[in-house]
Coordinates of all heavy atoms in Angstrom, one line a residue:
M72 N 23.9 29.8 15.1 CA 23.1 29.2 14.3 C 22.7 30.2 13.1 O 22.1 31.3 13.3 CB 21.7 28.8 14.9 CG 20.8 27.9 14.0 SD 19.6 27.1 15.0 CE 18.6 28.5 15.7
A73 N 23.1 29.9 12.0 CA 23.0 30.8 10.8 C 21.7 30.6 10.1 O 21.4 29.6 9.4 CB 24.1 30.6 9.7
V74 N 20.7 31.5 10.5 CA 19.3 31.5 9.9 C 19.1 32.9 9.2 O 19.2 33.9 9.8 CB 18.3 31.2 11.1 CG1 16.9 31.2 10.3 CG2 18.5 30.1 11.7
P75 N 18.8 32.8 8.0 CA 18.5 34.1 7.2 C 17.1 34.7 7.7 O 16.1 33.9 8.0 CB 18.5 33.7 5.8 CG 18.5 32.3 5.7 CD 18.7 31.7 7.0
Y76 N 17.0 36.1 7.8 CA 15.8 36.7 8.1 C 15.4 37.5 6.8 O 16.2 37.9 6.0 CB 16.0 37.8 9.1 CG 16.2 37.3 10.6 CD1 16.6 38.3 11.5 CD2 16.0 36.1 10.9 CE1 16.9 37.8 12.8 CE2 16.1 35.7 12.3 CZ 16.7 36.5 13.2 OH 17.0 36.1 14.5
A77 N 14.0 37.6 6.7 CA 13.5 38.5 5.7 C 12.3 39.3 6.4 O 11.5 38.5 7.1 CB 13.1 37.8 4.4
C78 N 12.1 40.4 6.0 CA 10.9 41.1 6.6 C 9.7 40.7 6.1 O 9.5 40.6 4.7 CB 11.0 42.5 6.5 SG 9.6 43.5 7.1
P79 N 8.6 40.1 6.8 CA 7.4 39.6 6.2 C 6.6 40.7 5.6 O 5.5 40.3 4.9 CB 6.8 38.8 7.2 CG 7.3 39.4 8.5 CD 8.7 40.0 8.3
I80 N 6.8 41.9 6.0 CA 5.8 42.9 5.5 C 6.5 43.8 4.3 O 5.8 43.8 3.1 CB 5.6 44.0 6.7 CG1 5.0 43.2 7.8 CG2 4.7 45.2 6.1 CD1 3.6 42.5 7.5
C81 N 7.6 44.3 4.5 CA 8.1 45.1 3.3 C 9.0 44.2 2.3 O 9.1 44.5 1.1 CB 8.9 46.3 3.8 SG 10.7 45.8 4.4
K82 N 9.3 43.0 2.8 CA 10.0 42.0 2.0 C 11.3 42.4 1.4 O 12.1 41.6 0.9 CB 9.1 41.5 0.8 CG 7.8 41.1 1.4 CD 7.1 40.1 0.4 CE 5.6 40.0 0.8 NZ 5.3 39.2 2.0
A83 N 11.6 43.7 1.3 CA 12.8 44.2 0.8 C 14.1 44.1 1.6 O 15.1 44.0 1.2 CB 12.6 45.7 0.4
N84 N 13.8 44.0 2.9 CA 14.9 44.1 3.8 C 15.1 42.6 4.3 O 14.4 41.9 4.9 CB 14.5 44.9 5.0 CG 15.6 44.8 6.1 OD1 16.8 44.5 5.9 ND2 15.1 45.0 7.2
R85 N 16.4 42.2 4.0 CA 17.0 40.8 4.3 C 18.2 41.0 5.1 O 18.9 40.2 5.4 CB 17.2 40.0 3.2 CG 15.9 39.7 2.4 CD 16.2 39.0 1.2 NE 16.4 37.6 1.4 CZ 15.5 36.6 1.3 NH1 14.2 36.8 1.0 NH2 15.9 35.4 1.6
T86 N 18.6 42.3 5.6 CA 20.0 42.6 6.1 C 19.8 43.3 7.5 O 20.8 43.1 8.4 CB 20.8 43.3 5.2 OG1 20.1 44.6 4.7 CG2 21.2 42.4 3.9
H87 N 18.9 44.2 7.7 CA 18.9 45.1 8.8 C 17.9 45.1 9.7 O 16.8 45.3 9.4 CB 19.2 46.7 8.3 CG 20.4 47.1 7.7 ND1 20.8 46.5 6.5 CD2 21.5 47.7 8.1 CE1 22.0 47.0 6.1 NE2 22.4 47.8 7.1
F88 N 18.2 44.5 11.0 CA 17.2 44.1 11.9 C 17.7 44.4 13.4 O 18.9 44.7 13.5 CB 16.7 42.7 11.9 CG 16.5 42.2 10.6 CD1 17.4 41.6 9.7 CD2 15.3 42.2 10.1 CE1 17.1 41.0 8.5 CE2 14.9 41.7 8.8 CZ 15.8 41.2 8.0
E89 N 16.7 44.5 14.2 CA 17.1 44.6 15.7 C 16.4 43.5 16.4 O 15.2 43.0 16.0 CB 16.3 45.9 16.3 CG 17.4 47.1 16.1 CD 16.7 48.4 16.9 OE1 15.5 48.3 17.0 OE2 17.4 49.3 16.9
L90 N 17.1 42.9 17.3 CA 16.6 41.8 18.1 C 16.0 42.4 19.4 O 16.6 43.2 20.1 CB 17.7 40.7 18.6 CG 18.2 40.0 17.4 CD1 19.4 39.1 17.9 CD2 17.2 39.1 16.7
I91 N 14.8 42.0 19.7 CA 14.1 42.5 21.0 C 14.0 41.3 21.9 O 13.2 40.4 21.6 CB 12.8 43.2 20.5 CG1 13.1 44.3 19.7 CG2 12.1 43.6 21.8 CD1 11.9 44.9 19.0
H92 N 14.6 41.4 23.1 CA 14.6 40.3 24.0 C 13.6 40.7 25.2 O 13.7 41.9 25.6 CB 15.9 39.9 24.5 CG 16.8 39.4 23.6 ND1 16.8 38.2 23.0 CD2 17.9 40.1 23.1 CE1 17.7 38.1 22.1 NE2 18.5 39.2 22.1
K93 N 12.7 39.9 25.5 CA 11.8 40.3 26.6 C 12.3 39.8 27.9 O 12.7 38.7 28.2 CB 10.4 39.6 26.3 CG 9.8 40.0 25.1 CD 8.4 39.3 24.8 CE 7.7 39.6 23.4 NZ 6.7 38.9 23.1
I94 N 12.4 40.8 28.8 CA 12.8 40.7 30.1 C 11.7 40.8 31.2 O 11.0 41.7 31.0 CB 13.9 41.7 30.5 CG1 15.0 41.7 29.4 CG2 14.6 41.4 31.8 CD1 15.9 40.5 29.4
A95 N 11.6 39.9 32.1 CA 10.5 40.0 33.2 C 11.2 40.3 34.5 O 12.3 39.9 34.8 CB 9.8 38.7 33.2
R96 N 10.6 41.1 35.2 CA 10.8 41.4 36.5 C 9.7 41.5 37.5 O 8.7 42.3 37.1 CB 11.6 42.7 36.6 CG 12.2 43.1 37.8 CD 13.1 44.4 37.7 NE 14.0 44.5 38.8 CZ 14.7 45.7 39.0 NH1 14.6 46.6 38.1 NH2 15.5 45.6 40.0
E97 N 9.7 40.7 38.5 CA 8.5 40.6 39.4 C 8.5 42.0 40.2 O 9.4 42.5 40.7 CB 8.7 39.5 40.4 CG 7.4 39.3 41.1 CD 7.5 38.0 42.1 OE1 8.4 37.2 41.7 OE2 6.7 37.9 43.0
I98 N 7.2 42.5 40.4 CA 7.0 43.8 41.1 C 5.8 43.5 41.9 O 4.8 42.9 41.5 CB 6.9 45.0 40.1 CG1 6.8 46.3 40.9 CG2 5.7 44.7 39.2 CD1 6.9 47.5 40.0
H99 N 5.8 43.9 43.1 CA 4.7 43.9 44.0 C 4.2 45.4 44.2 O 5.1 46.3 44.6 CB 4.8 43.1 45.4 CG 5.1 41.7 45.1 ND1 5.4 41.0 46.2 CD2 5.3 41.0 43.9 CE1 5.7 39.7 45.8 NE2 5.7 39.9 44.4
K100 N 3.0 45.7 44.1 CA 2.5 47.1 44.4 C 1.4 47.1 45.5 O 0.6 46.2 45.6 CB 1.9 47.6 43.1 CG 2.9 48.1 42.1 CD 2.3 48.7 40.9 CE 3.2 49.5 40.0 NZ 3.7 50.8 40.6
D101 N 1.4 48.2 46.1 CA 0.3 48.6 47.1 C -0.9 49.0 46.1 O -0.8 49.9 45.4 CB 0.6 49.6 48.1 CG -0.4 49.9 49.1 OD1 -1.6 50.3 48.7 OD2 -0.2 49.7 50.2
P102 N -2.2 48.2 46.3 CA -3.2 48.5 45.4 C -3.9 49.9 45.6 O -4.4 50.4 44.6 CB -4.2 47.3 45.7 CG -3.9 46.9 47.1 CD -2.5 47.1 47.2
S103 N -3.8 50.5 46.8 CA -4.4 51.7 46.9 C -3.5 52.8 46.5 O -3.9 53.9 46.1 CB -5.0 51.7 48.4 OG -4.0 51.5 49.4
T104 N -2.2 52.7 47.0 CA -1.4 54.0 46.7 C -0.4 53.8 45.4 O 0.0 54.9 45.0 CB -0.4 54.1 47.9 OG1 0.5 52.9 48.0 CG2 -1.0 54.1 49.2
G105 N -0.3 52.6 44.9 CA 0.5 52.5 43.8 C 1.9 52.3 44.2 O 2.7 52.3 43.1
E106 N 2.3 52.4 45.4 CA 3.6 52.3 45.8 C 4.2 50.9 45.6 O 3.5 49.9 45.7 CB 3.8 52.5 47.3 CG 3.6 53.9 47.8 CD 4.6 54.9 47.3 OE1 5.8 54.4 47.3 OE2 4.3 56.1 47.1
T107 N 5.4 50.7 45.1 CA 6.1 49.6 44.9 C 6.5 49.1 46.3 O 7.4 49.7 46.9 CB 7.4 49.8 44.0 OG1 6.8 50.3 42.6 CG2 8.2 48.5 43.7
V108 N 6.1 47.9 46.7 CA 6.4 47.3 48.0 C 7.5 46.3 47.7 O 8.3 45.9 48.7 CB 5.3 46.6 48.7 CG1 4.4 47.8 49.1 CG2 4.5 45.7 47.8
Y109 N 7.7 45.8 46.5 CA 8.8 44.8 46.2 C 9.1 44.9 44.8 O 8.3 45.1 44.0 CB 8.3 43.4 46.6 CG 9.3 42.4 46.2 CD1 10.5 42.1 46.9 CD2 9.1 41.5 45.0 CE1 11.4 41.2 46.5 CE2 10.0 40.6 44.7 CZ 11.1 40.4 45.4 OH 12.0 39.5 45.0
L110 N 10.4 44.9 44.6 CA 11.0 44.8 43.2 C 12.0 43.8 43.2 O 13.0 43.9 43.9 CB 11.6 46.2 42.7 CG 11.8 46.3 41.3 CD1 10.6 46.1 40.4 CD2 12.3 47.8 41.0
A111 N 11.8 42.7 42.4 CA 12.8 41.7 42.5 C 14.2 42.2 41.9 O 14.3 42.9 41.0 CB 12.3 40.6 41.5
P112 N 15.3 41.6 42.6 CA 16.6 42.1 42.1 C 17.1 41.5 40.8 O 17.9 42.0 40.2 CB 17.5 41.6 43.4 CG 16.7 40.4 44.0 CD 15.2 40.8 43.8
E113 N 16.4 40.4 40.6 CA 16.9 39.6 39.2 C 15.9 39.9 38.2 O 14.8 40.1 38.4 CB 16.8 38.2 39.6 CG 17.7 37.6 40.8 CD 19.2 37.7 40.3 OE1 19.5 37.4 39.1 OE2 20.0 37.9 41.3
L114 N 16.6 40.2 37.0 CA 15.8 40.2 35.7 C 15.8 38.8 35.1 O 16.8 38.1 35.2 CB 16.4 41.2 34.8 CG 16.6 42.6 35.2 CD1 17.2 43.4 34.2 CD2 15.2 43.1 35.6
E115 N 14.7 38.4 34.6 CA 14.5 37.0 34.2 C 14.2 37.1 32.4 O 13.4 37.8 32.2 CB 13.4 36.2 34.8 CG 13.2 34.9 34.3 CD 12.0 34.4 34.9 OE1 11.2 35.0 35.8 OE2 11.6 33.2 34.5
T116 N 15.0 36.4 31.6 CA 14.8 36.5 30.4 C 13.7 35.4 30.1 O 13.7 34.2 30.5 CB 16.0 36.1 29.6 OG1 17.0 37.0 29.8 CG2 15.8 36.2 28.0
L117 N 12.5 36.0 29.4 CA 11.5 34.9 29.2 C 11.8 34.1 28.0 O 12.5 34.6 27.0 CB 10.2 35.8 28.7 CG 9.6 36.7 29.8 CD1 8.4 37.5 29.2 CD2 9.2 35.9 30.9
S118 N 11.5 32.8 28.2 CA 11.8 31.9 27.2 C 10.6 30.9 26.9 O 9.8 30.8 27.6 CB 13.1 30.9 27.7 OG 12.6 30.3 28.7
R119 N 10.8 30.4 25.7 CA 9.6 29.6 25.3 C 10.3 28.2 24.8 O 11.2 28.3 23.8 CB 9.0 30.3 24.0 CG 7.6 29.8 23.6 CD 7.2 30.3 22.3 NE 6.7 31.7 22.5 CZ 6.8 32.6 21.6 NH1 7.6 32.3 20.5 NH2 6.5 33.9 21.8
G120 N 10.1 27.2 25.4 CA 10.7 26.0 25.1 C 12.3 25.9 25.2 O 12.9 25.3 24.2
G121 N 12.8 26.7 26.1 CA 14.2 26.7 26.2 C 15.0 27.7 25.5 O 16.1 28.1 25.7
R122 N 14.2 28.4 24.5 CA 14.9 29.4 23.7 C 14.4 30.7 24.2 O 13.2 30.9 24.5 CB 14.6 29.3 22.3 CG 15.3 27.9 21.6 CD 15.1 27.9 20.1 NE 15.7 29.2 19.6 CZ 15.3 29.6 18.4 NH1 14.4 29.1 17.7 NH2 16.0 30.7 18.0
P123 N 15.3 31.8 24.1 CA 14.8 32.9 24.6 C 13.6 33.5 23.7 O 13.7 33.3 22.4 CB 16.1 34.0 24.5 CG 17.2 33.1 24.2 CD 16.8 31.8 23.9
E124 N 12.7 34.2 24.3 CA 11.6 34.7 23.5 C 12.2 35.9 22.8 O 12.3 36.9 23.4 CB 10.4 35.1 24.4 CG 9.1 35.0 23.7 CD 8.0 35.1 24.6 OE1 7.9 34.3 25.6 OE2 7.1 35.9 24.4
T125 N 12.3 35.8 21.5 CA 12.8 36.9 20.7 C 12.0 37.5 19.8 O 11.4 36.7 18.9 CB 14.3 36.5 20.1 OG1 15.0 36.0 21.1 CG2 14.9 37.7 19.4
D126 N 11.8 38.7 19.7 CA 11.2 39.4 18.7 C 12.2 40.1 17.8 O 13.2 40.4 18.1 CB 10.1 40.5 19.0 CG 8.8 40.0 19.5 OD1 8.7 38.7 19.4 OD2 8.0 40.8 20.1
V127 N 11.8 40.4 16.5 CA 12.7 40.9 15.5 C 11.9 42.2 15.1 O 10.8 42.2 14.7 CB 13.0 40.1 14.4 CG1 14.0 40.9 13.3 CG2 13.8 38.7 14.9
R128 N 12.8 43.3 14.9 CA 12.2 44.5 14.3 C 12.8 44.8 13.0 O 14.2 44.8 12.9 CB 12.4 45.8 15.3 CG 11.6 47.0 14.7 CD 11.4 48.0 15.8 NE 12.6 48.7 16.2 CZ 12.8 49.9 15.8 NH1 11.9 50.6 14.9 NH2 13.8 50.6 16.1
C129 N 12.2 45.1 12.0 CA 12.8 45.5 10.7 C 13.1 46.9 10.8 O 12.4 47.8 11.0 CB 11.7 45.3 9.5 SG 12.1 45.9 7.9
L130 N 14.5 47.3 10.4 CA 15.0 48.6 10.4 C 14.6 49.4 9.2 O 15.0 50.6 9.0 CB 16.4 48.6 10.6 CG 16.9 48.1 12.0 CD1 18.4 48.3 12.2 CD2 16.1 49.1 13.2
H131 N 14.0 48.6 8.2 CA 13.5 49.4 7.0 C 12.1 49.8 7.2 O 11.9 51.0 6.9 CB 13.4 48.2 5.9 CG 13.4 48.8 4.5 ND1 14.5 49.3 3.8 CD2 12.3 48.8 3.7 CE1 14.1 49.7 2.6 NE2 12.8 49.4 2.5
C132 N 11.1 49.1 7.6 CA 9.7 49.6 7.7 C 9.2 49.7 9.1 O 8.2 50.4 9.3 CB 8.8 48.7 6.9 SG 8.5 47.0 7.7
G133 N 10.0 49.1 10.2 CA 9.6 49.2 11.5 C 8.8 48.2 12.0 O 8.5 48.2 13.2
Y134 N 8.3 47.2 11.2 CA 7.5 46.1 11.6 C 8.2 45.3 12.8 O 9.6 45.0 12.5 CB 7.2 45.3 10.4 CG 6.4 44.0 10.9 CD1 5.2 44.0 11.4 CD2 7.1 42.8 10.9 CE1 4.4 42.9 11.7 CE2 6.5 41.6 11.3 CZ 5.1 41.6 11.7 OH 4.5 40.6 12.1
T135 N 7.5 45.0 13.8 CA 8.0 44.2 14.8 C 7.2 42.9 15.0 O 6.1 43.0 15.0 CB 8.2 44.9 16.2 OG1 8.9 46.1 16.0 CG2 8.8 44.1 17.3
G136 N 7.8 41.6 14.9 CA 7.2 40.5 15.1 C 7.8 39.4 15.5 O 9.1 39.5 15.8
S137 N 7.3 38.2 15.8 CA 8.0 37.0 16.3 C 9.2 36.7 15.2 O 8.9 36.8 14.1 CB 7.0 35.9 16.5 OG 7.7 34.7 16.5
E138 N 10.3 36.3 15.9 CA 11.5 35.8 15.1 C 10.9 34.8 14.0 O 11.5 34.8 12.9 CB 12.5 35.3 15.9 CG 13.7 34.9 15.2 CD 14.9 34.1 16.0 OE1 14.5 33.3 17.0 OE2 15.9 34.3 15.8
R139 N 10.1 33.9 14.3 CA 9.7 32.8 13.4 C 9.0 33.3 12.1 O 9.2 32.7 11.1 CB 8.9 31.7 14.1 CG 7.6 32.1 14.5 CD 7.0 31.0 15.5 NE 6.0 31.7 16.3 CZ 4.7 32.1 15.9 NH1 4.4 31.9 14.6 NH2 3.9 32.7 16.7
L140 N 8.5 34.5 12.2 CA 7.7 35.0 11.1 C 8.9 35.5 10.1 O 8.7 35.5 8.9 CB 6.9 36.2 11.4 CG 5.7 36.0 12.3 CD1 5.0 37.2 12.8 CD2 4.6 35.1 11.7
F141 N 10.0 36.1 10.7 CA 11.0 36.6 9.8 C 11.8 35.4 9.1 O 12.3 35.5 8.0 CB 11.9 37.4 10.6 CG 11.4 38.7 10.8 CD1 10.4 38.9 11.9 CD2 11.9 39.9 10.1 CE1 10.0 40.3 12.1 CE2 11.4 41.2 10.4 CZ 10.4 41.4 11.3
I142 N 11.9 34.2 9.9 CA 12.6 33.1 9.5 C 11.8 32.5 8.4 O 12.3 32.1 7.2 CB 12.8 32.2 10.5 CG1 13.9 32.7 11.6 CG2 13.4 30.8 10.0 CD1 14.0 31.9 12.7
R143 N 10.5 32.4 8.6 CA 9.5 31.8 7.5 C 9.6 32.5 6.3 O 9.5 32.1 5.2 CB 8.2 31.7 8.2 CG 7.2 30.8 7.4 CD 5.8 30.9 8.0 NE 5.7 30.3 9.2 CZ 4.9 30.7 10.1 NH1 3.9 31.7 9.8 NH2 4.8 30.3 11.3
A144 N 9.5 34.0 6.4 CA 9.6 34.9 5.2 C 10.8 34.8 4.4 O 10.7 34.7 3.2 CB 9.4 36.3 5.7
A145 N 12.0 34.4 5.1 CA 13.2 34.2 4.3 C 13.2 32.9 3.6 O 14.0 32.7 2.6 CB 14.2 34.1 5.3
L146 N 12.4 31.9 4.0 CA 12.3 30.6 3.4 C 11.5 30.8 2.0 O 11.6 29.9 1.2 CB 11.7 29.6 4.2 CG 12.4 29.2 5.4 CD1 11.7 28.2 6.3 CD2 13.9 28.6 5.0
R147 N 10.8 31.8 1.8 CA 10.0 31.9 0.6 C 10.7 32.4 -0.6 O 11.7 33.0 -0.4 CB 8.8 33.1 0.8 CG 7.7 32.4 1.5 CD 6.5 33.3 1.5 NE 5.7 33.3 2.8 CZ 5.6 34.4 3.5 NH1 6.0 35.5 3.1 NH2 4.8 34.2 4.6
Ligands
LIG274 ZN1 10.3 45.5 6.8

């Protein structure tokens, strides 16, 4: 899907970004010792409405925010 991005903060950057995907992993801890008693073997990509939950980082100013903010900024 070809969607342009623009940084909503510095506005100058429309080309260089990093995608940040959130990965969840279940962990169980012993509350008194802090020892890990279970660590899930599977990593789970967090998704919102079937799409991966993706943040975007501007490589120009370093701002990180939700992908939709970058898409909305590009529409202006
Ligand atoms: Zn920026």
Side-chain angles (χ1 to χ4, degrees):
M72 193 168 56
V74 181
Y76 288 166
C78 176
I80 301 304
C81 71
K82 308 195 195 290
N84 179 22
R85 300 174 74 96
T86 53
H87 290 66
F88 306 96
E89 275 179 345
L90 293 177
I91 300 169
H92 299 290
K93 294 177 186 172
I94 306 289
R96 189 175 194 185
E97 187 174 346
I98 186 172
H99 298 183
K100 280 179 167 291
D101 184 298
S103 50
T104 67
E106 289 289 325
T107 298
V108 294
Y109 172 76
L110 190 59
E113 300 289 327
L114 303 179
E115 184 192 350
T116 306
L117 293 181
S118 64
R119 196 190 286 138
R122 295 190 55 201
E124 200 172 310
T125 302
D126 278 356
V127 177
R128 187 158 82 96
C129 171
L130 289 179
H131 192 84
C132 72
Y134 171 75
T135 302
S137 165
E138 182 186 35
R139 65 192 156 76
L140 296 176
F141 284 78
I142 294 171
R143 198 184 296 151
L146 294 173
R147 280 196 214 115

